[in-house]
Amino acid sequence: MPTDDGVSDAPRLSIVVPLFNEEENIPLLHAAVRDALTSEWSWELVLVDDGSSDHTVEIALEAAARDPRIRVVQLSRNYGQTLAMQAGFDQARGQVVVSMDGDLQNDPRDIPRLVAMLESGYDLVAGYRERRQDRLISRKIPSFVANRMIRAITGVDIRDNGCSLKAYRRETLRRMHLYSDMHRFLPALAAATAGARITEIPVRHHARRFGQSKYGLSRIFKLLADLITITMISWFRERPLVLFSIGASVALGLALGSLGMTLLGFGGLRHEMANAYVLPAATLLWILLACYLLTLGLISEVALRRARESDPELLPLATERVF
Amino acid sequence: MPPTCEVSVVVPVVERPASLVALYREFSAPLREAGRAFEFVFIAYPWFRSLTDELRELVQAGEPVRVVEVSRAVGETALLKIAAAQATGRILVTLPAYLQTEPAALPALLARVDAGADLAVAWRWPRRDAWINRLQNRLLHMFVKPLSGGRIHDVACGVRAMRTDVMNEMPLYGEFSRFLPLIALREGFAVEEVTCAVHPAAMTSRVYGPGVYLRRLVDVLGLIFLLKFTDKPLRFFGLVGLLLAVVGSVVLAVVFVQRVAGQGLADRPILLLGVLFVVLGVQSVALGLIGEMIVHLTASQRQRYRLRADPRRPSRPEAA
């Protein structure tokens, strides 16, 4: 859960970095962040260990012992990047939170620009990797296709969802609750849940220096399922009954279609009259589906209503316009 | 309220009940030897009175034994939860109501909990009991062991020791107490295994009725869903629905092409099969969507990760 806002010595800026087996990168990361952020902002670096099996924790704790601006959050097992980020967000104390990868592919020198952009009136500023230093076939092409799909379907105009370097206002994060693999859809989720004003700026991107890249090509089905979910959340979170009514209408249309063919058959216009049980039965099945979908839609309304009662933060952020 | 003690031994009396007095005498001996203050809590249904009656002599002799009754058949998980709430010890030990392992397992398990493990479970190894028992165990673990990433070798052994808070914090219900070590791993607790010998009394062959095996199968399916898909139901229902809908669509496409080619539609019962598959597929996907909607709407209500309690402990339990 988010820590108290009223802490007097809380820094203005929190940088959240999930780490999974990144022992070589921590000192370099620390140095890069220290050099990139000069005096004007007080900051903290939240290192989240996602159950690493190497010496990530020890090295992070050592760094924290030398620099009080470093805080180490240790997860009790490997939960994956999404929950590691959520844990870091929950621990972050700054009014502005920046997330980035621990593998030094992002450059902390971009942080001041992200923050400046955020301050100029946005709730989320995403970085996009202008000259991406990754393999073409296994990384860039799938990523291009996925980003195009996410953009087209969710309507959130971000060209690089996979870049971890992003800046958020604290209030935006308070309305976002990450689970599963949602870190890939953060801007869409922020738009859907917090009503965030989102923009993007180009950021630097370096090739990996140490360690292994942790993604692969074999994730299409999972990505598709998550994409369907985020689409549903984007468009129908406030009115799930509409979604299911659309499905029910299609099923009802098919029912009417097979009913029509049945009647035509009974009318003697076709030779199918003799065995006229198949089409009526198909009609019944389609009607069944329509009823089922409508019922599910009603259930989802119940779930929405119950969630609303217990969680006022389901409402999006509202900001007064400054002229 | 009885005086507090160090170790609470909880015995849910649910199946294969044997003499509880013999159980108490065998398993209290090593605890007494190790000089630990302990209590035994037997938790049973009223219809096991004939068994729990024997315990009266122990209570009257001043032994630290308590008997708790639950009047409704609520399942083993609920019994354990109730007993854990009653337990006064810092460490909770669960024992099945029959002699499953040699009592020497207890001090070893307690030592692991003292050393910082959240949960220590007995691993009956080497198995020297009847081949039929080992076969059943093998079959169960074929499904269950991969779910733990190969880290738990004996899920079915009910001899376990843990910090009492672990049982209270664990999101357990239904029959999932059977799979306690797996759920504890998922919750981020440090789970360790201790090998121990099978009790001679447990070596005789055990064959259950078909209903029991069917229930176990359902439990395992429930476990797989719980561990893999509770936060992403669409990945499960979507896959099932997609397969069904694809089969149905292929059937419908073939029938449609044949209709265009001049063959009738109404005398083709296979049309119904195609429609049925599409309907089932859509239903499955729709269920998955509802699941995702509920997960999303309730996402703020639960913290999905656990932070390491003691930051200086290594993140991996040392290989046992």
Side-chain angles (χ1 to χ4, degrees), chain A residues 153-203:
Chain A
I153 292 179
T154 61
V156 175
D157 204 8
I158 291 289
R159 70 188 86 175
D160 187 1
N161 283 280
C163 179
S164 297
L165 188 55
K166 295 186 177 78
Y168 316 78
R169 264 180 221 282
R170 182 184 190 78
E171 295 78 48
T172 315
L173 288 178
R174 271 169 62 89
R175 281 176 168 69
M176 295 167 63
H177 302 281
L178 310 181
Y179 56 89
S180 185
D181 287 330
M182 284 299 166
H183 66 270
R184 281 189 215 126
F185 305 100
L186 275 175
L189 196 65
T193 60
R197 297 162 297 172
I198 299 173
T199 189
E200 59 181 351
I201 61 172
V203 296

Side-chain angles (χ1 to χ4, degrees), chain A residues 203-217:
Chain A
V203 296
R204 283 165 268 225
H205 189 245
H206 305 298
R208 276 189 84 84
R209 280 200 244 176
F210 297 108
Q212 279 295 304
S213 187
K214 276 130 202 158
Y215 299 92
L217 191 58

